[in-house]
Amino acid sequence: MHDNISHKKALCITFSVLFIVATVVFFVARDSSRPILLGVALNLSGRGAASGQAVKEGIIVAVKELNQAGGINGRPIKVIVEDDQNSKEGVIRADKKLLRAGCPVIIGHNTSQNTIIAYPIVVKNGKILITSCSSSTVLSGKDDYFFRTSVDNALIGRAWAQLLKRRAVHSVSLLVDMSNKGFAKDLTNQIKRFFQGQVYEFLIDTKGYVDWNKTIKGLLYNSPQLIILITNPKDTAIALQKLRSFGYNRTVFATTWAQGQELFSYGGNCVDGLRVLTFVPPIATEAYQKINPTMKKYFQRNATTCTARGYELAMIVGDAMKRCNSQASEPACIKEKLLSGCYKILSDTIRFDQFGDIIRPIYEIEAQKGKFVVNRRIL
Amino acid sequence: MSDLPSISKKISKYTWIIGVFSCLAVLFVTIDSEIGLLKRQAAIEISRIYDAAKMEVEKFFFNDQGLISYLKKQALEQAPQNYIKWIGDNLRKADPGQHFSILDERYRVAYVSDPKDKQFIGLDFSNLGFIKAKQLVSGVHQSFFTSRSVITVCYPLKKGLLLIDKDIEELTRRLKDIPRPSIDGSQIFILSKEGTVVYHPNMTLVRTRENLLSRMEDCNGPDSYGFYTMSYDHARYWCMKKGFSRPKSWYFYAAIPEKEIIPYLWYHMWPIVMTIFAIFMAIVFFVDFIIAYGISEPLKKLSSWLLKQDPMNPELQADQCPVKTYNKELHDIVESVKKMLETIKEKNSEILKRDELFRTVIEYAADWAYWLDEAGSFKYNSMKCLEITGYSPEEFQKDPKLLTKIIHDDDRPIFEQHLDSVVGNKPHKNMEFRIITKDGRIRWISHNCNKIFDSSGSFLGIRGSNLDITEQKLASEELSKIEKLESLGVVAGGIAHDFNNLLTAILGNISLAKMEADPSSNLYKRLEASEKASIRAQNLTQQLLTFAKGGSPVKRPSSLKRIILETAEFALKGSNVACRFDFDKDLWLVEVDPGQISQVLHNLILNADQAMPEGGIIKIEARNMRVQKDSSGVVPPGDYVVITVQDCGKGIPAELLPKIFDPYFTTKEQGSGLGLAVCFSIIRKHGGFITVDSVVGKGSSFSVYLPALQKPMTIQEEDDDLSVDTSRGKSILIMDDDPNVLQLLTESLRYLGHETETATDGKEALAKYRQALENGRPFDAVIMDLTIPGGMGGKEALTRLLELDPRAKVIVSSGYSKDDTITNYKRYGFCASLPKPYKLEILNSVLLNVFSD
Ligand SMILES: Nc1ncnc2c1ncn2[C@@H]1O[C@H](COP(=O)(O)OP(=O)(O)OP(=O)(O)O)[C@@H](O)[C@H]1O
Ligand SMILES: [Mg+2]
């Protein structure tokens, strides 16, 4: 009988120990399997949503790769995507929603204008806002939670000035899409700042109705030596077709903004010969090929530059989070690691300066038969 | 009781385990089949939904097909340059809400449905993916014109391409009312070839052209019902996937969340589950009941009844078994058990009877019998022990050591030695020892014991029996004392007899010498002193002679009171000790020799006096006492008059008590040690007893038990005064073997004026008597000594003499004054007795008596 009791006692103890161990393991496991949230706010349904779509796909591919490789120290990354609808209200709504969800990092947006709107909301909330598409100088030189993998317009402005100077251009016409005022107008100002020659700017707002014939006429009115289109891919394509139809055969330049699939889709044959001053080199490099199998698998198409930019950005964030170890959800830590990191992502080795701005080379690339090739490196 | 689990509990436990497991198994099978059923039903339902959705989708995307074919046909009749415009215009007219554009052969925009878009006419769309790939239905993309999520359906024209943008938000609205699978949370959606949402109830996903396929993970299946399992946003779903034939490679999905399935199943199944559960419970209870009622309960009853049965109990009643059985096996068991019990009962009563018999024999035996087992504790102990020792068998049971503890300290070593030899198989005999009873008395025990073995020779213990022999022991002690005294008496008597004769001669001569001496002279005084000393010596011899055969008392009914009073007064003359008397009124009469009893009392009182040299009080009591049958002690039952002489002197030490009655035992310097011996002897001869009680320092008390007469008799108060008128001139024949005595008597008789003739034995006496008779001068009296060594004794001589002359007056004379012939002389034919040694006055009075008759 005695034996029986001690037996029961032993059983009880074993069970309680097992229970405690199981509970601890459960909580630890739950903690380690608790996903790290990554907010993504992009234009997915507004005008020019195709680029946003591509960036998003790049991010998703990157996150899938990160998670397959074990996540952030065992914790998976969960992507929450919000559509900013390319409108002020949309941006505010999307970011607030992501902040509410508790994302320590928000990747967004895909225009400088939207990023400028998002900036105060996100950064003041102590969360990291990181973008691949915003070059506005408004956001430069601030030691805060804002990061970007796109180059500051000041730098681009300087590159433009250099390019124009080398080409011995003294008058230039700019097509400025004020729907992305934060980028387009800012860049215009920077070009004006560094370029000594005549600058004609022609403002449009693609969010509203654009009379393209009038626009092109206006653009050509001063017979500029060089035309720079500060527009999105689709509108760049339209502008190019229209310029051709107006008999304009000279070299046309565009910005990184124009680097998107729609440029080729809607540009027809007119895209050939378009030159782009950009920090995003063509995707033909070996590094880009790496993403393609995954892209094909999930999205049944190849990577584009936008995809690459999304991919690159997510990889950088993931890397910083990984280096935070247990503080992978802490914006402060992520910031610190982002600043201290050095990334060889797709083509170049890049790093952030103290203000979270990127330092990377700038190329002149040219569209040939439906794709870009590098002409030269400018900066 | 062992700790084994009971059969009923065991059976019940297993019944329950089997019940629960089979219930679970049935439940499992039921649930499994129910899931199958659910899947089948869901598959049917989903198929129906799919059919509806398919119809709706086809209608949505291809409803204008007829119209367009018609327009295409009609347009052929138009001028070629008007072809596109005609189609466009008519299409706009026929379906004003439709957004479309028409491309020319080189895929430049030639016509737009919305006039606002006219500025785009001429744009080159040849690089558009779906146009390049010549797909008739595009993927989901953002409309060039409206920036909305659309699917472009292409209709090749004779010249150019008609592109109709189908706003998929509109499709979502259209499919809104399509039924959903009935399980809560279920969703249906349609994905394009690329996996992009074509239709989804969540409009945001539609608007943002979400690629849902990329978010579905861990796809498995399909199972036999066509269901896949997959996870989406960290939730698991059952998913059914059905392809469209048009647009090709589109898929219809129906997803049922797994977490809703169990509640759904439960909602639909709980009555079944409950019913199954209830049925199983009922079955288990029923089986349990059957087993309990049919097997375990009767078994339990039987076992508990059997446990309660004491086979030693003669009241055992086998037919009172409470078990009712309804099955054969149990019935047989119960019957055989009953039979067995019946047999046991019979045997038991036999055994009990026998046991009773033996017990009776043992318990009624005088022996205290017991049986010690191997360990030394009592296996059996007869009740007799209580009677003998005062300790009950229970006390012995409690403390087996008691057996040796009660033994007298002096006897314990020999008892232990005895026990050792019994245990050690050494030769041993029965033994006797003393025990001290619970109330402190000493009992004599005759003990015998031996080891016992069973038939197989194994040791069973020691059996012993103790017999209380205290009475025999006392009696034999008494007897040996008496024997001792009697043998001593013979010796002493022999000596005293001779001594007495000598004293008679001395005393007689002194008496004669005194007569001749001048009473005032010194000589006379010397003679008187000699006479006194001689008388003292005579007294002593008299005492000694009491032991001798001739000392039997001359009994007659007497008043003890007088004897006591006189003796005490005489004995304590000149003593500083006072006497207090206490007599019962109407003391019973006793038949005693007053002289002897007086002597006894005299001795006792003297001893008492001597025990109190400082003086004190002697208490003398005489009481009637009836000794009861059962009173243990020396004194047998009967009526007695008890005389107690009690002093408050120094007392007698316990170790001396057994010796004080021994002759010559004395602690006094001047003592002879004969006082008590004589008392004892006298009292025994009276058929009485003498006991003593003494406490050292407090005093002693001697009790004399004299048997009382059965019928009271009137006492003839004796008149001891003798008239000293002696007739003179008689002729007397004296016969004695001692010449000194002869001479003394001759001279004494001559002094008294008689003539004497002497004879030394009976022969001579007879011859002389005959001769005197023949001479005509017969003797007037004959004085005969009773014992004449070697010659004819007094008794024989008397008979011959009385034959010769029946009128002969023969006086018997003997030193043994206690001899029966002396005391009861008349019975023997003597006419008087004359105790030796003779005093002249006594001789004279005896003769006077004889001659006065
Ligand atoms: N009443 C008594 N008190 C004390 N001791 C007694 C008493 N009676 C007898 N004895 C003891 O018993 C002994 C024997 O007594 P017993 O009468 O036979 O002899 P005795 O008195 O010594 O001598 P004697 O022959 O003169 O009587 C005494 O010596 C005495 O020790
Ligand atoms: Mg005495």
Side-chain angles (χ1 to χ4, degrees), chain B residues 438-453:
Chain B
K438 198 175 186 177
D439 51 8
R441 288 177 300 126
I442 291 179
R443 312 289 298 172
W444 275 95
I445 297 294
S446 165
H447 167 86
N448 82 70
C449 66
N450 47 283
K451 282 168 110 179
I452 38 179
F453 301 93

Side-chain angles (χ1 to χ4, degrees), chain A residues 44-47 49 53 56 64 83 209-210 212 234 238 241-242 264-266 268-269 298-300, chain B residues 3 116 119-120 122-125 127-128 142 144 147 193-195 207-211 214 217 234:
Chain A
L44 296 173
S45 61
R47 220 181 128 78
Q53 192 101 29
K56 184 188 102 179
K64 276 188 193 286
D83 174 20
Y209 177 76
V210 179
W212 281 102
K234 182 182 145 193
I238 295 169
Q241 291 220 35
K242 281 287 175 191
F264 293 104
S265 298
Y266 295 118
N269 299 327
Y298 290 111
F299 300 105
Q300 282 80 35
Chain B
D3 281 337
K116 256 201 312 202
Q119 58 173 329
F120 298 126
L123 288 190
D124 177 6
F125 278 4
N127 268 352
L128 266 174
Q142 192 167 32
F144 177 84
S147 287
K193 199 170 104 194
E194 296 80 26
R207 227 175 265 145
T208 57
R209 298 175 293 286
E210 181 68 32
N211 187 305
S214 70
E217 285 162 332
H234 303 286

